[in-house]
Amino acid sequence: MTDQAAQTPQSVRMWFDPTCPWAWMTSRWLGEVAEHRGFDVDWQVMSLAVLNEGRDLPEEYAARMPRSMRMTRLVTTARAAGGDAVVKPLYDALGERIHHQRRKDDDALIAEALAEVGLDAGLAEESDAHDATLRESHRAAIDLVGDDVGTPVIAVDEVAFFGPVVSPAPKGADALRLFDGIVAAASVDGFFELKRSRTRGPQFETETKVETA
């Protein structure tokens, strides 16, 4: 394995929509890599609702967009109130309830998540007051990778890409190998896409941690 210092980036950002199960899986993987490599992740918001504005969507998918807008507004408002430090804990609290517990009672789960993170319960009321900030954050991701992708978007130093789409979230040496490989591939000028059909949905179960090499 290459010297770890050479693989430790100066800047790592991930854009997520709290309602996207695939972004949630990716965030678990990236958190694993960050822990092993000793870097911090700058967690940013992008919105599937904003991404899909004006598009002709299947009815079932379109029905999810109000939830996307509510949750991305919530995280953006929470950042304005509590600073960058509250974003990841709130994302974790929301994701546990949305994805692992598969809850649909948004009023209740938002109230619980805010309480868990120690934020004002009043933030639960949906507001468009910070929509300009939300759209600016979303646009920053799209400017890096284009608007024909979704969430998540990751930027590692000067290299940015959509994904990876993973299930389950790799652990240990597998997580690090995937990180190094994706960053290396995305850093090649002219490389655009590598894809294969999904054979499983998001697997949220806690996986046994694999020791790094």
Side-chain angles (χ1 to χ4, degrees):
M1 186 175 289
T2 309
D3 181 75
Q4 178 172 320
Q7 300 179 35
T8 303
Q10 298 298 309
S11 171
V12 178
R13 293 170 288 166
M14 174 174 161
W15 284 263
F16 66 91
D17 182 317
T19 67
C20 177
W22 296 106
W24 176 253
M25 299 297 296
T26 303
S27 73
R28 303 307 93 183
W29 159 76
L30 187 58
E32 174 85 358
V33 175
E35 180 180 347
H36 284 295
R37 289 283 165 82
F39 60 75
D40 294 323
V41 179
D42 180 8
W43 301 94
Q44 298 288 331
V45 173
M46 64 184 299
S47 174
L48 290 172
V50 173
L51 180 70
N52 287 295
E53 284 177 340
R55 296 182 179 179
D56 186 16
L57 303 175
E59 184 176 348
E60 181 180 357
Y61 190 65
R64 304 176 191 172
M65 296 304 101
R67 191 185 208 196
S68 165
M69 189 54 117
R70 182 176 185 183
M71 295 297 175
T72 51
R73 278 174 166 167
L74 171 65
V75 176
T76 304
T77 301
R79 185 196 296 273
D84 293 346
V86 307
V87 174
K88 179 57 162 47
L90 181 57
Y91 181 29
D92 290 344
L94 291 170
E96 171 63 28
R97 291 163 174 81
I98 292 171
H99 303 300
H100 288 263
Q101 300 175 18
R102 300 185 181 184
R103 289 173 52 182
K104 303 298 184 182
D105 53 336
D106 287 353
D107 289 344
L109 74 84
I110 286 173
E112 292 172 15
L114 290 171
E116 181 178 317
V117 181
L119 290 168
D120 186 349
L123 297 176
E125 183 176 352
E126 186 172 2
S127 169
D128 62 3
H130 299 284
D131 277 10
T133 301
L134 168 58
R135 290 176 180 277
E136 182 180 353
S137 178
H138 178 90
R139 175 50 57 185
I142 296 304
D143 285 347
L144 290 172
V145 296
D147 62 3
D148 58 344
V149 299
T151 176
V153 168
I154 293 175
V156 179
D157 293 333
E158 302 304 316
V159 176
F161 48 87
F162 160 71
V165 176
V166 292
S167 181
K171 301 291 185 180
D174 286 343
L176 301 181
R177 185 165 61 251
L178 178 61
F179 181 80
D180 294 337
I182 289 176
V183 173
S187 68
V188 176
D189 184 43
F191 176 82
F192 298 110
E193 187 171 351
L194 179 68
K195 187 174 183 179
R196 57 187 175 188
S197 298
R198 299 175 194 165
T199 58
R200 63 179 73 101
Q203 296 182 359
F204 301 121
E205 293 79 11
T206 301
E207 299 292 319
T208 302
K209 201 162 191 175
V210 179
E211 294 300 322
T212 56

